[in-house]
Amino acid sequence: MMAAAKLAAPILLTSLFVGLFIGLIQSATQLNEPTLAFVPKFIAVGLVLILSGSWMLQEMVTFTEGLFDAVPQMLAA
């Protein structure tokens, strides 16, 4: 659960903050166009994936290697 939370946090937090910022702008200008909220979030999440993708992949590989190393201990018990 912690690994999933750690890997999802950058994407979810980016989407949250960009959505909040766009929502504030939409409420101030009274523009209620759904694509104005979707496109900036899509771009921001894409940038986060590009910037942190290698770190996320390394975390997943480390977690998977740990799981494979723990299999013999689980079978012995």
Side-chain angles (χ1 to χ4, degrees):
M1 294 294 282
M2 290 301 294
K6 187 166 47 166
L7 290 174
I11 297 168
L12 293 176
L13 290 175
T14 301
S15 181
L16 172 75
F17 289 127
V18 170
L20 180 66
F21 180 71
I22 297 300
L24 289 173
I25 290 174
Q26 283 183 335
S27 65
T29 60
Q30 295 181 353
L31 292 172
N32 290 328
E33 181 64 32
T35 57
L36 289 178
F38 176 74
V39 172
K41 280 195 274 187
F42 186 73
I43 292 170
V45 168
L47 286 173
V48 168
L49 284 174
I50 289 171
L51 295 175
S52 64
S54 62
W55 168 77
M56 291 175 157
L57 181 62
Q58 184 60 40
E59 288 291 320
M60 286 188 283
V61 167
T62 303
F63 179 74
T64 304
E65 287 174 347
L67 284 177
F68 287 146
D69 289 341
V71 168
Q73 294 171 351
M74 290 182 206
L75 293 176

